[in-house]
Amino acid sequence: MPDRERLSIMIAAIARLLQGLRHVAVGAASPVPAAATLLARELAGRRLVVSILGSAQHNPFTDGGRELFDCAAQGRLDAFFLSGAQIDATGAVNLLGLGDPRAPDRRFLGNFGAPYLASLVPNVILCRTDHGPRSLVEKVDFVTAPGRDGQRLVTDRCVFVRVDGRFVLESRHAGETSDSLRAATGFAFAEKPDAGITPGPDARMRDLLEGPVAEAMQAVYPDLAALLRR
Amino acid sequence: MSTAAALASRIPDGCHLALAPDYSGCSLVTIRELIRRGASNLHLTGLPQLGLQADLLLGAGCVASIETAAISLGDLGIAPAFERARRAGTVRITESTCPAIHAGLTAAEKGISHLPLAGVIGSDLVNLRPDWRIIDDPYGPGRILLVPAIRPDILLCHAALADPAGNLWIGVRRELMLAAHAARRTLATVEEILGHDLLADDVWAAGSIPSLYVDAIALAPNGAAPVGLRGRYPADRSTLRAYAEAARTPAGFTRFVDAWLADA
């Protein structure tokens, strides 16, 4: 897990991408997207509907496992988060395994809902807290979900956005340089002309993170809640 | 009144068994009886993913194949007995995605052969599923995926409440309702049997699987341990961690399961 400052930058960057949305869902095992979504909800005066899978408290659904997916196909879900053991230069993610998909050398947990949600949810935000050359690769071994233009990848080092089929650097977090990012990334990338430093959380965001966001995170992600509160 | 052992005896070797994920309603107490009996050649479908129940059955050699969107021990990671079976080539794996399993069950629920499903086209997953079809959408633009019906022989689940007439209360866990509609039979263990009719009060009826779909119910308090049951008791984290650690080796798995079998 990155340190508190890096996590706060990621959370703030993602929360800014969620401004103005009505319904955002967060998959299982996604503490940083959960914190960002809860922060966006506070910034929106709680008008944002938040679904956190695995949380009894943040669950607006009453029709079982299929409801989230039906919502997505109807256009009632504005944003969702994906990660992947591999994410490539086109924004494709691999949740299945390395090597031959019929008999992977290493198998991950499985595709979950990603093959479906990726093409139906208008804002799919990719997130990885361990930016490195083995996870960010030129081409994934298996396309669980393809990427698309406009898609963001937020890591603990920078923010990429896909333009004309490939990720370009949109901003780098404080402490990173072009060289440090290139050394840590398994694909080549261009930089947007205006690529600067990713804005961190402002004073209001910091207050919200330490207060209501940490509190709302307590039951489902206690470790990150404690880190935010400190 | 039935028992978990009696429920297990109604699950024949070779049958197609639908199992809930760890967060929904898992009849671990019946899984234990299946392992005790030495059940074999089971075909498991996850609703829509598989967890501890499947890993225990896989480690005990009860499983021939699985169809699932994912298999894991949740935040404890890779399901260790599954991983061993996969590497040994002793389990056939049909990869899926959550909404395709919900759609296949919905087709079975409606008594039809297949259901169209949005999305998914563009994922390499379609290359792993020769049984899936992509057609020109006859009523809309572009192409659409068709997935075949999934009709399990048996849904096995655990729920909080039932009544003497055999109605089963599952609350908001409506993937169990869908699976009960889709499966030929439903077998359930419960925490409690109420004295009154669940269907007599709309508040309860809305969250209840009618006895029409339910073939047998057994009283089994704490029957979802160690994964826990929503609204009743949490997961037993120390036991789950002990399993995740022990099951990394065949000997450790056997020790864990032997102790579990001896426990009741």
Side-chain angles (χ1 to χ4, degrees):
Chain A
M1 198 65 132
D3 65 25
R4 183 173 191 260
E5 192 53 33
R6 282 291 169 107
L7 287 169
S8 301
I9 293 169
M10 291 183 76
I11 291 167
I14 295 169
R16 289 187 174 103
L17 296 173
L18 302 177
Q19 272 177 21
L21 303 184
R22 284 191 57 227
H23 181 194
V24 179
V26 180
S30 306
V32 169
T37 304
L38 290 166
L39 176 58
R41 182 179 71 148
E42 294 299 327
L43 292 168
R46 301 212 167 189
R47 282 186 304 276
L48 175 66
V49 177
V50 175
S51 319
I52 298 179
L53 272 67
S55 159
Q57 184 188 356
H58 305 285
N59 172 16
F61 299 122
T62 57
D63 199 22
R66 65 183 169 190
E67 190 176 358
L68 166 75
F69 301 103
D70 292 343
C71 253
Q74 291 182 306
R76 293 180 196 267
L77 178 60
D78 300 317
F80 191 74
F81 301 90
L82 290 180
S83 192
Q86 287 182 319
I87 298 175
D88 75 16
T90 72
V93 303
N94 174 7
L95 293 171
L96 186 64
L98 302 181
D100 176 1
R102 287 177 176 78
D105 302 326
R106 193 176 150 217
R107 192 186 190 279
F108 313 128
L109 307 186
N111 292 302
F112 295 94
Y116 173 92
L117 293 169
S119 60
L120 296 172
V121 178
N123 300 282
V124 174
I125 298 168
L126 308 182
C127 181
R128 267 210 82 110
T129 53
D130 56 345
H131 185 139
R134 286 176 50 179
S135 51
L136 303 187
V137 298
E138 176 59 31
K139 189 166 180 3
V140 290
D141 291 7
F142 180 83
V143 177
T144 290
R148 68 173 101 131
D149 281 354
Q151 186 165 49
R152 297 308 202 297
L153 165 59
V154 179
T155 75
D156 55 326
R157 293 175 183 267
C158 69
V159 179
F160 290 111
V161 59
R162 199 181 106 158
V163 177
D164 295 335
R166 273 188 86 88
F167 278 131
V168 300
L169 181 70
E170 187 167 52
S171 66
R172 56 182 194 276
H173 304 343
E176 298 293 338
T177 64
S178 288
D179 286 346
S180 71
L181 291 177
R182 286 182 200 288
T185 308
F187 54 79
F189 58 87
E191 301 185 21
K192 285 180 86 173
D194 58 349
I197 300 295
T198 314
D202 58 25
R204 178 165 175 238
M205 283 178 164
R206 284 187 193 279
D207 286 348
L208 292 169
L209 284 172
E210 287 170 24
V213 172
E215 191 181 323
M217 292 276 289
Q218 183 59 42
V220 60
Y221 293 118
D223 294 348
L224 183 54
L227 195 66
L228 292 173
R229 209 175 266 126
R230 190 167 47 77
Chain B
M1 179 53 55
S2 196
T3 63
L7 291 194
S9 73
R10 299 176 71 143
I11 301 172
D13 291 348
C15 95
H16 177 187
L17 185 63
L19 293 176
D22 289 346
Y23 54 77
S24 190
C26 295
S27 185
L28 267 310
V29 67
T30 308
I31 298 296
R32 176 161 60 186
E33 296 306 324
L34 285 170
I35 292 172
R36 199 191 305 280
R37 183 186 93 205
S40 65
N41 203 29
L42 298 175
H43 303 276
L44 307 183
T45 292
L47 299 173
Q49 46 174 302
L50 292 167
L52 180 66
Q53 300 181 99
D55 206 54
L56 286 162
L57 290 171
L58 279 153
C62 306
V63 179
S65 73
I66 65 169
E67 174 171 11
T68 192
I71 177 167
S72 77
L73 299 180
D75 63 349
L76 296 172
I78 297 280
F82 162 71
E83 178 61 13
R84 220 164 16 254
R86 180 185 84 77
R87 288 189 180 278
T90 56
V91 58
R92 192 156 44 78
I93 305 164
T94 301
E95 301 286 356
S96 193
T97 176
C98 310
I101 290 181
H102 296 310
L105 294 167
T106 303
E109 178 184 49
K110 295 184 186 306
I112 54 180
S113 65
H114 69 277
L115 206 69
L117 181 67
V120 187
I121 297 170
S123 168
D124 286 348
L125 180 57
V126 297
N127 303 333
L128 300 182
R129 293 299 302 255
D131 57 329
W132 288 0
R133 305 274 171 84
I134 296 174
I135 63 161
D136 289 328
D137 184 344
Y139 297 102
R143 312 259 288 161
I144 193 157
L145 176 70
L146 307 182
V147 300
I150 298 172
R151 188 161 191 209
D153 294 320
I154 295 172
L155 163 66
L156 172 66
C157 64
H158 184 79
L161 303 169
D163 70 14
N167 301 302
L168 184 67
W169 185 79
I170 44 100
V172 299
R173 300 288 18 155
R174 293 185 74 85
E175 57 276 357
L176 299 179
M177 180 80 79
L178 170 63
H181 290 173
R184 290 180 173 84
R185 295 181 199 291
T186 291
L187 306 175
T189 48
V190 294
E191 293 294 316
E192 260 182 85
I193 311 259
L194 297 175
H196 62 83
D197 179 359
L198 282 165
L199 302 191
D201 179 342
D202 282 0
V203 172
W204 291 106
S208 296
I209 302 175
S211 62
L212 170 65
Y213 304 95
V214 182
D215 294 84
I217 292 174
L219 182 65
N222 221 32
V227 299
L229 183 66
R230 177 191 165 98
R232 288 282 169 147
Y233 43 92
D236 172 355
R237 299 281 304 169
S238 70
T239 299
L240 292 176
R241 268 194 294 271
Y243 174 77
E245 179 64 31
R248 291 199 298 199
T249 66
F253 177 89
T254 301
R255 267 197 309 278
F256 183 96
V257 168
D258 285 351
W260 188 47
L261 293 179
D263 202 28

